[in-house]
Amino acid sequence: MDPSEVEFLAEKETVKIIPNFSLDKIYLIGGDLGPFNPGLPVEVPVWLALNLKQRQKCRIVPPEWMDVEKLEEMRDLERREDTFTPAPCPYYMELTKLLLNYASDNIPKADEIRTLVKDIWDTRIAKLRLSADSFISQMEAHAKLDNLTLMEINTIRSFLLDSLNCMFKLRSNLQPGSSKAQFTDY
Amino acid sequence: MDTQSYLSVQPGVGMEENFLSLDDILLSHEKLPIRTECTFPRLGFLEKSSDSQDITEGTKMELPVWLSKGLYEKKRRVLSVETPKVYREGWRTVFNADPNVVNLHKMGPYYYGLGSQMLHFDSPENPEIAQTLLQTFIGRFRRIMDSSQNAYNEDTSVLVEHLDCLEKTLFRSGQSGLNGFQSWEKGQASQLTASSLVLNYRKRKMTDAQP
């Protein structure tokens, strides 16, 4: 899976905006988007929010978790715990990148937020690698990891699956006689 | 991450080889030391050291894996294979002690593959060979993971030097995951670039064709 595909899935999350135009309720296949009145906040999906922002028709309100104190707490909690803590948002990395690229004027202390999110990301990736390493070295059959976001899974997916394949091949050497010559079709 | 228009056939599972896999074909060219158990008449030209017409019984020579596998029979009438140096007791203790310091590329670039093929030849040490292969892989896994996931935009030839072919494939897939993520984060993923296929074929463009 491409990181761009994960970003596409992330754009379905909702975010609050304050439009400066008015429009009646619109009925889309995915759901209804409530009537737009200038100055009144309304919840829309991120893809629409970014589009409106680029056309200068709205102002984006930062989501609740995108706050310096909250992120600092999360970062410290993440560093203290050995297992994964619940992420700020299931798509925190993508939303940070998108909102801070297109709407950084609406978000206070954008640079600090970027640094904090990067810290949280680095800590979680380090934990992920540690657990992948113990998974392989103890040759477990399966592992359970809570609170992982799709982007983190995506970065390690191809490497982990390939190495588990290699391990399977080498482990099947230990049982001789169970592999007979088979012809695979291509 | 560029899309793959060509997906190469993977090497086979365990003791089998995939007929169409290029890695397996190259692997089967590795030479194994063997000892003939019967005479091969009129095949003396295969053995460079002696000048006789046929190969006598009990000659020690080297044959590639594909030939040895084909000629080997359980009743051992034709030839018997000795384990190469790298899979013997001495080297096995080195691998068990610390797998990370060994230069697997020098030990034959197909250490894991050849080791798996060796298990066809019914040597009494087979279980230990298989166990050593697995443990070496597990021991080196951490280093491959760390080096492939952290080396962005650097010259990786130093890191890749000591890896054998299987590990090199793993390294490449780790690098591609890392590069994909980094290029997405920089915003390169949404820029349109010419596909590598088009650049390689160097098609004539309309502007060049017109007079």
Side-chain angles (χ1 to χ4, degrees), chain A residues 66-81:
Chain A
M66 205 177 261
D67 172 56
V68 176
E69 282 95 29
K70 286 214 182 105
L71 287 176
E72 274 181 356
E73 265 179 48
M74 294 206 151
R75 180 193 60 176
D76 296 331
L77 181 64
E78 192 76 48
R79 283 182 180 166
R80 279 198 306 266
E81 298 281 326

Side-chain angles (χ1 to χ4, degrees), chain A residues 2-4 7 93 97 121 129 133 137 139 151 158-159 162-163 166 169-170 172-174 179-180 186, chain B residues 1 9 12 14-16 18 20 116 119 130-131 137-138 141-142 145 149-150 170 173 180-181 184-185:
Chain A
D2 261 349
S4 334
E7 185 186 62
M93 197 65 191
K97 179 200 166 219
W121 168 267
R129 295 210 192 125
D133 183 41
S137 50
M139 292 195 278
M151 197 61 171
S158 68
F159 180 78
D162 281 343
S163 37
C166 292
K169 286 186 215 169
L170 293 177
S172 67
N173 284 341
L174 296 173
S179 56
K180 298 210 164 14
Y186 286 99
Chain B
M1 212 163 89
V9 174
M15 284 167 64
E16 305 163 15
N18 267 344
L20 295 173
S116 309
L119 302 174
Q131 192 66 30
F137 178 76
I138 292 176
F141 169 77
R142 182 71 207 251
M145 175 164 74
Q149 295 273 323
N150 284 324
L170 273 187
S173 82
F181 176 72
W184 168 77
E185 210 182 358

Side-chain angles (χ1 to χ4, degrees), chain A residues 45-57:
Chain A
V46 170
W47 54 268
L48 185 60
L50 292 179
N51 190 292
L52 291 176
K53 175 74 187 173
Q54 282 175 322
R55 293 191 285 167
Q56 292 166 339
K57 285 186 185 291

Side-chain angles (χ1 to χ4, degrees), chain A residues 77-110:
Chain A
L77 181 64
E78 192 76 48
R79 283 182 180 166
R80 279 198 306 266
E81 298 281 326
D82 278 340
T83 54
F84 289 91
T85 59
C89 158
Y91 290 103
Y92 68 97
M93 197 65 191
E94 300 85 313
L95 288 186
T96 314
K97 179 200 166 219
L98 286 170
L99 293 179
L100 290 179
N101 275 348
Y102 293 112
S104 53
D105 46 341
N106 294 146
I107 299 175
K109 299 196 203 164

